[in-house]
Amino acid sequence: MSAFPGTFAFDEYGRPFIILREQEKQKRITGTDAIKSHILAARQIASTLKTSLGPKGLDKIMVSGDGDVTVTNDGATIMKMMEVDHEIGKLMVQLSQSQDDEIGDGTTGVVVLAGALLEQAEGLIDRGIHPIRIADGFELAAQCAVKQLEAIAVPFPIDPQNKEPLVQIAMTTLGSKIVNKCHRQMAEMAVDAVLNVADIEKKDVNFELIKIETKVGGRMEDSVLVKGVVVDKTMSHAQMPKTLRDVKLAILTCPFEPPKPKTKHKLDVTSAEDYRALREYEQEKFVEMVKMVKDAGATLAICQWGFDDEANHLLLQHELPAVRWVGGPEIELIAIATGGRIVPRFEELTADKLGSAGLVREISFGTSKDKMLIIEECLNSKAVTILLRGGNAMITAEAKRSIHDALCVVRSLVKDSRIVYGGGASEISCSLAVAKQADQLSTLEQYAFRSFAVALESIPLALAENSGLHPIETLSELKSRQVAENCPNLGVDCMLTGDSDMKKHNVVESLHSKKQQILLATQLVKMILKIDDVRSKNQND
């Protein structure tokens, strides 16, 4: 009862009545008005994203409260950065987020589809159909569309020896992004990265082994895939060697400093002798620590914490190169790549806990003092790092998002290698199947089915519009051709090549991603149609 916005009371005759809390301060919309207001909010958001769909989709500039500028056409990023106040708007943001978390691609399409479904629902409500009947109809229509997707899906061969088909698909994903001037190279990097860490038998890809580093300066073409780990750190002392071969790494999470008293006692140094003794003790401890690392056979120490200048000097004297302040995730990645163990105490360091790498080198960028360490030719070559370059921070950030999308697409193909054709081809095919099914229904749900079929067409329509084609003409031509030729791979020719066969253009989408888009959008729309009462605090309070 605590969630109830009021309290029960009884009058003198024992009749119950409810006293609503702060009734005059609350704003309330009910019934159809509530649904209409939700639909309006969702449509506004969908129309913002509509122009970012497809290879000719446009980018958006987002300026945050403190003036940071982001340029992107990644649906999930745009949604995350839009400051949405409306409660339904927030649900749309979560929708694109869930598509991003699950699949990593198709974040714009899922929002556009949800907006189109709600727009259709509004027309049905105006015709007097109950929202629950519409929601149920949409649910059935979504199942029908998913069935059609499975019927038109074709298997896609994944062969690590023949990467070309995968590269073509990654290129399609990157075609709508800012990196498309060198998107062949980016696509190859993404495919190589996934195939390096993928377990083809188990159909599994561990994304934790792929790290993406960005460095501003240089051209986008200078981006490289490093089969190893790139750490944004340098050797701790300027005079340590910059290149090491056949390295044994000691990976330490203990600081190179003398032990401190762990209790609350404090150490009083009252005379010069005491101070000298303390200094000698510290010196002795440092030498002992360095000796432990050397005795284990390490030729490079990687430390999660810092070490003071004295330790640094001693390391240089004992010819033990070291790297300090390496973050937690990076240390884990180095351990996985080099086959080493992370050691929490010097006493535990033994030769079998060392990692090994063929080459550790420091690279510098341009004329600046920017340097990075690259650990290559590792024992376990599964860990890879993609190093992205670009003219400014905005470009490298967008390149990072684009590469993430390409990685996700290749991963979903490794997991489930069935595909459907893109460019709106699969949506048109589903739309035709759902409309055909509607003719067999005699219940009210047939109206919902037809509306669902129309909503599915919003994706090819948006693609055609963004590409500068006549949307209605293009769509009707494609529909009639798909029916006449019984060919579900005819889609919108966004690149204006004069050929609508998506198979020839290599425009494909993973079946898993498409199914997820339709199901997620339908679930959200069902949920919105079931809300008929909104209470919120008045804005004036």
Side-chain angles (χ1 to χ4, degrees):
M1 284 302 290
S2 58
F4 194 73
T7 49
F8 266 118
F10 295 91
D11 62 9
E12 63 268 34
Y13 301 111
R15 287 182 301 218
F17 63 93
I18 299 165
I19 304 164
L20 279 175
R21 266 187 226 131
E22 301 173 339
Q23 171 74 358
E24 74 287 349
K25 288 187 186 171
Q26 288 188 345
K27 195 170 73 177
R28 184 177 183 193
I29 343 171
T30 56
T32 319
D33 289 344
I35 293 179
K36 288 273 181 71
S37 109
H38 297 160
I39 289 173
L40 184 69
R43 277 173 57 189
Q44 295 256 263
I45 287 181
S47 67
T48 309
L49 279 195
K50 216 177 217 176
T51 51
S52 297
L53 198 64
K56 297 279 176 80
L58 303 174
D59 291 6
K60 309 271 180 274
I61 282 193
M62 309 295 219
V63 185
S64 69
D66 45 8
D68 286 343
V69 176
T70 307
V71 178
T72 179
N73 78 353
D74 176 51
T77 311
I78 297 172
M79 296 291 277
K80 218 186 304 178
M81 295 192 145
M82 282 203 309
E83 288 186 3
V84 182
D85 272 343
H86 197 281
E87 53 281 357
I88 296 301
K90 287 179 182 154
L91 289 178
M92 297 289 269
V93 174
Q94 288 168 7
L95 170 72
S96 76
Q97 205 50 53
S98 62
Q99 175 76 13
D100 198 32
D101 295 343
E102 184 69 19
I103 309 289
D105 188 41
T107 47
T108 314
V110 71
V111 176
V112 173
L113 182 58
L117 281 170
L118 285 168
E119 196 173 330
Q120 291 302 315
E122 187 174 24
L124 294 177
I125 290 169
D126 288 344
R127 287 165 72 176
I129 300 177
H130 195 280
I132 295 295
R133 297 298 294 266
I134 300 171
D136 290 347
F138 278 175
E139 175 75 10
L140 292 169
Q143 286 168 10
C144 175
V146 167
K147 261 200 208 109
Q148 174 67 8
L149 278 177
E150 291 192 331
I152 61 171
V154 288
F156 182 81
I158 289 194
D159 177 10
Q161 263 62 52
N162 177 19
K163 292 186 291 199
E164 188 54 34
L166 281 171
V167 172
Q168 292 290 346
I169 286 175
M171 279 171 68
T172 306
T173 308
L174 296 170
S176 61
K177 310 283 186 223
I178 206 165
V179 298
N180 62 2
K181 71 178 170 70
C182 57
H183 73 299
R184 164 119 210 149
Q185 177 195 352
M186 291 283 180
E188 283 174 359
M189 274 165 38
V191 171
D192 285 344
V194 172
L195 289 179
N196 250 310
V197 303
D199 186 331
I200 304 283
E201 268 73 59
K202 286 189 188 160
K203 297 196 167 187
D204 185 39
V205 178
N206 182 1
F207 259 9
E208 306 230 325
L209 296 176
I210 301 176
K211 189 160 165 267
I212 304 175
E213 281 282 346
T214 56
K215 205 70 172 163
V216 173
R219 302 173 310 153
M220 214 180 272
E221 286 86 345
D222 298 339
S223 305
V224 285
L225 174 70
V226 178
K227 293 199 175 155
V229 186
V230 177
V231 190
D232 201 354
K233 295 277 175 284
T234 55
M235 294 292 184
S236 61
H237 198 292
Q239 289 165 350
M240 287 177 180
K242 304 288 182 238
T243 307
L244 299 167
R245 290 216 157 265
D246 300 324
V247 190
K248 292 282 179 203
L249 293 94
I251 304 168
L252 306 165
T253 54
C254 40
F256 258 101
E257 42 188 52
K260 294 184 177 66
K262 287 279 190 295
T263 55
K264 290 184 180 168
H265 304 306
K266 68 178 194 293
L267 196 63
D268 283 333
V269 179
T270 49
S271 65
E273 278 76 33
D274 285 358
Y275 185 74
R276 270 191 213 102
L278 179 66
R279 197 176 163 284
E280 273 167 25
Y281 168 73
E282 285 196 356
Q283 183 89 4
E284 205 178 288
K285 276 289 175 197
F286 274 139
V287 173
E288 200 181 301
M289 286 174 189
V290 176
K291 191 168 176 301
M292 279 179 189
V293 179
K294 289 283 282 188
D295 287 352
T299 53
L300 172 65
I302 288 188
C303 191
Q304 186 170 7
W305 305 108
F307 22 86
D308 46 25
D309 295 341
E310 197 171 349
N312 209 356
H313 180 66
L314 275 169
L315 286 165
L316 180 68
Q317 275 183 337
H318 286 84
E319 294 181 352
L320 178 62
V323 187
R324 56 182 162 184
W325 299 120
V326 180
E330 290 168 332
I331 266 218
E332 283 179 19
L333 207 61
I334 292 171
I336 293 169
T338 60
R341 297 278 295 278
I342 297 176
V343 180
R345 288 163 56 198
F346 286 105
E347 291 78 16
E348 293 177 18
L349 192 60
T350 54
D352 59 339
K353 290 186 179 173
L354 299 178
S356 55
L359 176 64
V360 175
R361 59 195 172 99
E362 203 175 84
I363 51 170
S364 55
F365 297 99
T367 53
S368 66
K369 290 199 173 66
D370 254 357
K371 294 188 174 66
M372 279 176 137
L373 265 188
I374 294 190
I375 301 171
E376 290 177 294
E377 297 170 22
C378 302
L379 194 66
N380 171 7
S381 61
K382 286 228 162 186
V384 293
T385 306
I386 295 172
L387 180 59
L388 296 171
R389 309 295 310 277
N392 59 18
M394 246 163 17
I395 289 181
T396 53
E398 177 65 355
K400 188 172 180 175
R401 282 189 287 270
S402 310
I403 274 281
H404 174 258
D405 274 10
L407 290 170
C408 289
V409 168
V410 181
R411 176 185 70 167
S412 61
L413 281 172
V414 171
K415 284 189 161 178
D416 179 354
S417 58
R418 287 173 301 164
I419 53 161
V420 289
Y421 288 96
S426 52
E427 279 89 351
I428 296 173
S429 177
C430 288
S431 164
L432 291 167
V434 172
K436 192 174 173 189
Q437 183 70 28
D439 296 338
Q440 332 243 294
L441 292 174
S442 53
T443 54
L444 257 183
E445 273 75 19
Q446 60 176 303
Y447 292 102
F449 263 70
R450 287 202 182 93
S451 298
F452 194 92
V454 174
L456 280 170
E457 290 168 3
S458 64
I459 303 255
L461 278 173
L463 283 173
E465 204 170 323
N466 293 346
S467 308
L469 298 160
H470 291 296
I472 309 286
E473 280 176 30
T474 310
L475 179 69
S476 45
E477 185 202 345
L478 284 172
K479 277 175 75 174
S480 63
R481 277 186 63 192
Q482 275 211 18
V483 173
E485 299 170 27
N486 191 16
C487 175
N489 31 348
L490 294 172
V492 179
D493 174 25
C494 295
M495 292 317 201
L496 314 179
T497 54
D499 186 5
S500 301
D501 190 348
M502 293 294 132
K503 199 170 184 176
K504 288 181 188 156
H505 295 313
N506 278 309
V507 180
V508 301
E509 295 189 61
S510 94
L511 170 69
H512 188 37
S513 164
K514 250 305 151 260
K515 275 177 18 185
Q516 194 74 10
Q517 271 188 34
I518 290 177
L519 294 172
L520 285 178
T522 313
Q523 273 175 10
L524 181 78
V525 170
K526 267 185 73 174
M527 185 169 137
I528 292 173
L529 288 175
K530 286 185 175 178
I531 302 171
D532 75 330
D533 192 340
V534 182
R535 283 178 170 277
S536 50
K537 282 267 190 285
N538 241 333
Q539 297 300 316
N540 316 333
D541 286 355

